[in-house]
Amino acid sequence: MIPVPIAWDDIGGLADAHERFLSGALVEADVRDSVLDSWKRCRIAGFEPDRMTAFPRASGLGPDGRLLRAAEPVLKGLSEVLADTGVTVVLCDGQGRMVQRLGGDRRLLQLLDGVRFTPGCDASELVSGTNGVGTALAGRGPFYVVGREHFADCLQPFACAGAPVRNPLSGRVEGVVDLTCLRDHADPAMLRLAREAVRDIETRLLEQATQRERALLAAYRWARRDAPGWSWPERTLPGQPGQSDQEAGHESAGLGRIDLALLREKAEALIASPQRTLDEVVLSGGRIATLRCCPVTGAAGESGVVVEARILGGLGPGLGLGAAGPGASAVPSRVSSAAAAVTIPSAVPPAPPPVAPKSDGTPLAALRTAVTAPPSAPAADEPYARVRTGTDGHSGGGDNGDGGGGGGWPLLVGETGVGRLAVQARRRLELLHEAGLRIGSTLDVARTAEELAEVTVPRFADFTAVDLPAAVLRGEEPEPFRVGAALRRVALGAVEENPPLYGVGEEIRFTPSAPQACSLDSRQSVLEPVLARAGGWFAQDPARGDRILAAGIHSLITVPLRARGATLGVVSFYRSGKPAPFEDDDLSLAQELAARAAICIDNARRYTREHNTALTLQRSLLPRGRPEQSAVEVAYRYLPAQAGVGGDWFDVIPLSGARVALVVGDVVGHGLHAAATMGRLRTAVQNFCSLDLPADDLLTHLDDLVSRLDRGEGWAVEPTYPDAGIIGATCLFAVYDPVTRRCTLTRAGHPQPAVVAPDGTVEFVDLPPGPPLGLGGMPFETVELELAEGSQLVLYTDGLIEKRSQDVDVGLDALRTVLACAGRAPEDTCEAVLDALLPARPGDDVALLVARINALGPEQVAQWDLPSDPTVVSGSRAAVTAQLAAWGLDDLAFSTELVASELVTNAIRYATGPVRLRLLRDRALVCEVSDGSSTSPRLRRARSEDEGGRGLFLVAQLTERWGTRYTTDGKVIWAEQPLP
């Protein structure tokens, strides 16, 4: 079993939500909807969680014997399976009163006895609060509750999974199956086990009802066996295998699916209407079917009716339903499913050939007399009761001159208003309801297709396959289907492993004769009730077709997935083994399921298109590749959230003097607005970096920019899209100098960075948090660190460590544990962090930046402190020339000598304080001159009569780029030249 995380249950999660709920605060975002609904019902009922110490005892406990008989073997087997898991199996009645408790280890049973969760207790929600039994009854559906999700304090050590048991005929809740264990052993799979047990119990309840139907049919058979004209072959005695009533009657009459469906509908109406006994149905080919309703009573008192069908040759001059005799009346075109009858499950003799109507033109006359039991049948030979007398008081059973005794064959049998067709209709409605709840739970095309397969297997089909074109998977508009176009199998649900169908991921090109191609081309569903007789599908892949038939797959329905006028793909339903072949009713259900799934798939496709568009925009705004710099070795990862693109970003920006800036930021929210805002902020940071601003000044400027965006300054029009609200953003900015190995950091409401020492020691930088960007009015503080060469600086966004179900400190501790490794490359660090901390479906964007620290050695740096004396200029030129010769850069001697001379001369002439000349050999040759003045020189074009003003112009012409940066005690003028 999978333990439930203690953090969600006890630390800042449900414990806090439960207290806030009791105080009247809103907790919708922290509690599951089903649990919150139960809490609200408990509060309305006046339930006090701290007052209850045990389950109350119930009075008048009288469990239904049928439920006990059906549930006992199922629950006994389940408790044996769970014997070693510490789970107890409980059966309660429809009022929540415990009837049985099976299994469980000693510790669990002691705790359950302590709260009196024993047979006879009352677990209904109104008296015991939120729990697996009572809440399943209150919600009329499966319910899983763990720990502090219980409303009562005394129930919080437990985890429960309850599922209601329904009467398969009436739909009424008869009881609840509940699995209970200790909270630490909780597993959501308990709910699945409870539902499977409920399904088995309901099947046994239906079998009990079927036995009543068989008793009614047996009574009917014994009543007819001695009737004149009735032939009962030995092979069709009750309980022996043989051809069923319907098969015999259908084959002798040559009925098709449409005729059978019409007959069943009319028979259903007869059984649902006790006052009516006769009906007449016009079939295809000009034939007329007469239906008669025969009341029957079994030996044990079972009462019901049997509908006899009789096919007449042509449309004679019948008097119609108005002349059908007593009880006949017009039949509505559609019949409610509540009046459905049951299909005859047993074998009876084949019907004789159709009997022609009498000359009087009244085809219903021969069936006006009800069938009764033969009076000569001895009690020993007739263990069943009688068929009740008809309205005319005669015993009946004769052929009345027209073969009435043998011309009819039983079509349906059941109890008035209840039957197997009603069960099927109810199950179909339940399946449609569940499909509406489960299909489309995500905005993912493939997952939606998988949900369709999961809902329909095995309740509707044994195999379900969903095939979509690649364009739909990419979110594009599907093109009109062309025969031979490629589809990809996106989902496959199966009742067995290794089915003979195409597997998930395979590309399929259906032949023109394949049912799937016919569906896509005609935009109509295709029903193949007997695959062995249908040759079109076999041409798709004869070898695979042989394997399909060998596996017992016997019928197929294909339905095109259409939504908003477009065909998105096709779904195929297969049946194998014992289930009856697909019929027209199944085709209607398949179309309804496919229509619902198609809408969800199209919604997911449209979302995929919008998501890809936003993601493309976002990725275009993020860095592409790694910039050329030697200060750090970087690795990074960016993962968008499943809910949509967000505003997380990162950047590595080379600065003057071989330095580098590392930036990680996070714009609050998701969507295009967040992505666009992220792009604006990232561009602003790059522009501010080009000015060589100090770290705290840069964040101050960025804070001012966000404030102006919040005020709407810079908008051409008023934004109207829903996520264009107040901008919130956090940022962490770091500047590293490889010459001094000093790193300056500042942050605005962002998570603190981590430093991994070369020996694997991890420390989070104690950096003042600062307010998030956009608040304004507060200064940002900086921290300066000296980093050892080979250490790693780790910057990240809050999506990596913050989760709704855990405290931030838990995420930081987990990050510390993952980072504590010596000698790991930055790429390996990124992989390790994401593997350990990133959930399968992240709810927020994650940006991660890992930088391993490098340093410029003494052999790459040369510097000289110069006095403020013009005579030192010549000496500085000589020193520069000598250093370049030592580095093997003689080709740059002339230009560098001139640049150094001009910069030193300007510093001595116009600035104050000490003057320092420094050369750096990195990816470029950098010449820097620093002084104590904060006045910045500017480039200008000198006039022809000016004696000066051309120095910086020469520097700009001889170097690749130049600039000025300010320090705490002055400024630095620098110039870069590319190396040969």
Side-chain angles (χ1 to χ4, degrees):
M1 296 241 176
I2 304 173
V4 174
I6 299 300
W8 163 240
D9 200 15
D10 293 322
I11 303 177
L14 279 174
D16 179 62
H18 194 266
E19 295 298 325
R20 288 189 287 114
F21 175 83
L22 294 176
S23 65
L26 296 177
V27 295
E28 278 77 3
D30 301 321
V31 185
R32 290 188 291 134
D33 292 342
S34 57
V35 175
L36 185 59
D37 292 341
S38 176
W39 287 3
K40 292 178 180 178
R41 292 193 297 267
C42 293
R43 184 170 61 183
I44 293 174
F47 190 86
E48 297 183 13
D50 57 341
R51 294 292 182 90
M52 177 183 169
T53 59
F55 283 87
R57 305 300 295 176
S59 59
L61 183 62
D64 189 342
R66 294 182 301 107
L67 176 63
L68 282 177
R69 290 193 299 272
E72 185 172 3
V74 176
L75 300 186
K76 182 178 179 181
L78 180 59
S79 64
E80 293 175 354
V81 172
L82 300 175
D84 299 327
T85 60
V87 176
T88 184
V89 182
V90 171
L91 175 67
C92 296
D93 64 11
Q95 287 73 45
R97 300 171 297 187
M98 185 186 295
V99 178
Q100 281 186 330
R101 190 184 75 181
L102 304 174
D105 58 22
R106 185 176 63 180
R107 180 178 174 225
L108 173 63
L109 294 179
Q110 289 176 345
L111 292 176
L112 291 178
D113 291 343
V115 296
R116 294 191 297 191
F117 191 57
T118 56
C121 72
D122 188 352
S124 59
E125 189 181 75
L126 293 182
V127 298
S128 299
T130 306
N131 67 87
V133 175
T135 308
L137 285 174
R140 300 186 62 82
F143 183 72
Y144 178 67
V145 57
V146 180
R148 290 187 178 272
E149 289 181 331
H150 290 90
F151 196 72
D153 295 342
C154 67
L155 303 184
Q156 293 174 3
F158 306 103
C160 310
V165 180
R166 285 183 169 84
N167 186 311
L169 296 177
S170 65
R172 184 170 60 91
V173 175
E174 300 282 357
V176 178
V177 172
D178 174 82
L179 302 183
T180 298
C181 67
L182 295 178
R183 180 183 61 182
D184 295 338
H185 299 158
D187 188 346
M190 293 194 308
L191 190 60
R192 176 178 57 81
L193 295 176
R195 296 178 67 174
E196 290 176 354
V198 164
R199 186 163 55 247
D200 294 339
I201 294 172
E202 290 176 348
T203 300
R204 291 177 58 83
L205 287 173
L206 183 60
E207 290 173 355
Q208 294 179 13
T210 304
Q211 292 173 2
R212 294 171 58 85
E213 299 161 9
R214 289 174 180 165
L216 296 175
L217 181 59
Y220 172 83
R221 289 172 175 163
W222 281 93
R224 291 297 303 265
R225 66 173 185 169
D226 293 331
W230 181 269
S231 175
W232 194 295
E234 185 67 23
R235 67 179 178 86
T236 57
L237 288 175
Q240 294 186 4
Q243 191 177 30
S244 71
D245 310 16
Q246 291 173 309
E247 291 173 350
H250 301 171
E251 291 180 1
S252 63
L255 298 179
R257 290 197 306 269
I258 297 177
D259 288 340
L260 287 176
L262 184 58
L263 285 176
R264 287 175 184 149
E265 180 178 358
K266 299 299 184 181
E268 179 182 348
L270 280 177
I271 293 180
S273 304
Q275 73 278 8
R276 298 177 56 248
T277 59
L278 297 173
D279 203 348
E280 183 180 74
V281 184
V282 179
L283 304 176
S284 60
R287 295 176 297 172
I288 295 178
T290 57
L291 304 180
R292 183 177 64 167
C293 194
C294 304
V296 292
T297 302
E302 304 91 349
S303 62
V305 290
V306 175
V307 176
E308 285 184 336
R310 185 170 164 209
I311 309 299
L312 306 179
L315 277 172
L319 301 179
L321 297 179
S329 61
V331 181
S333 59
R334 302 299 298 173
V335 181
S336 170
S337 62
V342 292
T343 303
I344 294 176
S346 307
V348 295
V355 179
K358 298 295 289 181
S359 60
D360 62 1
T362 57
L364 297 176
L367 295 179
R368 289 177 182 171
T369 303
V371 179
T372 184
S376 59
D381 297 334
E382 187 175 325
Y384 302 100
R386 60 187 180 83
V387 181
R388 291 197 296 268
T389 304
T391 56
D392 57 3
H394 300 311
S395 62
D399 59 9
N400 294 322
D402 63 352
W409 42 272
L411 176 65
L412 297 175
V413 60
E415 300 176 60
T416 302
V418 180
R420 195 174 303 277
L421 293 182
V423 174
Q424 293 175 354
R426 186 176 299 111
R427 286 178 175 173
R428 287 169 178 164
L429 290 175
E430 291 175 354
L431 180 59
L432 288 174
H433 175 69
E434 185 171 353
L437 295 177
R438 294 179 57 185
I439 299 177
S441 62
T442 67
L443 289 173
D444 180 83
V445 174
R447 179 56 192 153
T448 304
E450 292 171 357
E451 290 169 344
L452 172 60
E454 292 171 357
V455 167
T456 55
V457 175
R459 296 178 60 180
F460 176 69
D462 296 314
F463 304 91
T464 298
V466 182
D467 305 314
L468 305 176
V472 173
L473 295 174
R474 295 192 299 266
E476 302 171 1
E477 291 289 340
E479 298 179 356
F481 176 75
R482 301 188 307 274
V483 176
L487 299 177
R488 188 167 300 279
R489 179 138 297 175
V490 179
L492 176 62
V495 295
E496 61 184 35
E497 296 182 358
N498 302 319
L501 306 174
Y502 291 102
V504 174
E506 291 191 55
E507 185 177 272
I508 309 173
R509 296 180 184 271
F510 291 108
T511 59
S513 61
Q516 291 84 354
C518 296
S519 291
L520 291 169
D521 189 38
S522 65
R523 303 178 183 178
Q524 299 294 324
S525 303
V526 174
L527 169 63
E528 295 288 357
V530 184
L531 277 179
R533 300 178 186 174
W537 72 275
F538 198 80
Q540 172 69 30
D541 189 341
R544 188 181 298 273
D546 289 334
R547 296 197 298 272
I548 289 175
L549 293 178
I553 299 177
H554 53 70
S555 57
L556 164 68
I557 290 178
T558 62
V559 185
L561 295 169
R562 290 184 50 78
R564 301 180 178 96
T567 302
L568 307 174
V570 64
V571 56
S572 304
F573 303 102
Y574 299 85
R575 276 185 182 172
S576 65
K578 293 183 180 180
F582 286 118
E583 300 177 346
D584 291 333
D585 290 342
D586 298 312
L587 183 62
S588 301
L589 178 59
Q591 291 170 341
E592 181 68 21
L593 291 169
R596 298 190 180 196
I599 292 295
C600 296
I601 290 176
D602 191 53
N603 290 339
R605 177 193 65 81
R606 290 168 177 257
Y607 170 79
T608 300
R609 180 183 60 191
E610 299 300 329
H611 180 75
N612 290 341
T613 300
L615 192 59
T616 300
L617 169 64
Q618 186 186 40
R619 292 193 180 278
S620 68
L621 298 174
L622 290 172
R624 298 183 180 182
R626 298 175 175 86
E628 293 186 359
Q629 51 83 34
S630 302
V632 293
E633 178 186 349
V634 297
Y636 51 82
R637 295 290 187 275
Y638 171 76
L639 290 94
Q642 291 292 328
V645 297
D648 292 17
W649 92 92
F650 63 92
D651 216 340
V652 180
I653 307 172
L655 302 177
S656 62
R659 299 170 306 135
V660 65
L662 305 174
V663 191
V664 171
D666 183 4
V667 176
V668 176
H670 295 87
L672 288 176
H673 177 60
T677 303
M678 175 270 292
R680 301 172 76 176
L681 296 183
R682 177 172 175 257
T683 301
V685 170
Q686 290 179 327
N687 291 334
F688 293 149
C689 285
S690 66
L691 300 176
D692 266 326
L693 296 177
D696 52 348
D697 287 352
L698 186 145
L699 283 192
T700 300
H701 283 77
L702 199 62
D703 177 69
D704 180 65
L705 173 63
V706 173
S707 298
R708 288 189 285 112
L709 291 178
D710 279 344
R711 293 194 299 268
E713 298 178 16
W715 289 101
V717 294
E718 184 69 20
T720 57
Y721 41 88
D723 59 349
I726 298 299
I727 298 172
T730 65
C731 184
L732 174 62
F733 186 77
V735 176
Y736 172 67
D737 187 344
V739 177
T740 62
R741 291 188 289 108
R742 305 291 294 180
C743 182
T744 303
L745 303 100
T746 185
R747 62 172 174 156
H750 202 82
Q752 57 196 119
V755 175
V756 185
D759 61 357
T761 305
V762 180
E763 294 291 340
F764 289 99
V765 180
D766 187 12
L767 182 62
L773 298 176
L775 297 182
M778 295 293 293
F780 296 97
E781 301 182 45
T782 61
V783 170
E784 188 170 322
L785 305 174
E786 182 174 341
L787 302 177
E789 186 173 6
S791 59
Q792 293 186 358
L793 183 62
V794 181
L795 288 70
Y796 51 90
T797 55
D798 57 2
L800 186 67
I801 60 170
E802 293 185 4
K803 297 180 179 63
R804 179 179 296 179
S805 59
Q806 72 178 23
D807 191 75
V808 176
D809 291 337
V810 177
L812 291 175
D813 291 340
L815 178 61
R816 182 193 301 272
T817 301
V818 178
L819 293 177
C821 181
R824 192 159 52 188
E827 287 287 343
D828 296 336
T829 300
C830 287
E831 290 296 328
V833 169
L834 295 185
D835 290 344
L837 301 182
L838 195 67
R841 300 179 67 85
D844 194 6
D845 291 16
V846 173
L848 175 63
L849 179 62
V850 179
R852 183 160 62 184
I853 301 303
N854 297 327
L856 291 182
E859 69 280 1
Q860 295 177 275
V861 181
Q863 64 181 16
W864 301 270
D865 292 327
L866 306 176
S868 297
D869 186 354
T871 60
V872 302
V873 176
S874 59
S876 63
R877 288 197 296 265
V880 167
T881 302
Q883 184 62 54
L884 293 180
W887 283 343
L889 299 177
D890 298 293
D891 293 342
L892 298 179
F894 175 76
S895 58
T896 307
E897 179 184 351
L898 181 57
V899 168
S901 176
E902 289 295 333
L903 294 181
V904 171
T905 301
N906 285 341
I908 293 175
R909 178 176 298 179
Y910 301 111
T912 60
V915 177
R916 175 175 294 176
L917 171 64
R918 186 170 73 168
L919 294 180
L920 303 177
R921 182 186 179 184
D922 188 32
R923 294 179 178 270
L925 179 64
V926 182
C927 178
E928 296 181 345
V929 175
S930 60
D931 57 56
S933 172
S934 59
T935 302
S936 174
R938 62 184 182 89
L939 181 66
R940 67 183 183 89
R941 182 177 296 277
R943 294 177 297 218
S944 57
E945 63 271 14
D946 290 342
E947 295 183 359
R950 297 175 177 84
L952 283 181
F953 177 77
L954 293 175
V955 170
Q957 294 298 312
L958 294 174
T959 61
E960 187 174 52
R961 62 191 189 112
W962 72 280
T964 303
R965 69 174 182 269
Y966 294 93
T967 63
T968 56
D969 53 0
K971 68 176 183 297
V972 176
I973 303 176
W974 54 270
E976 288 185 4
Q977 300 176 76
L979 297 179

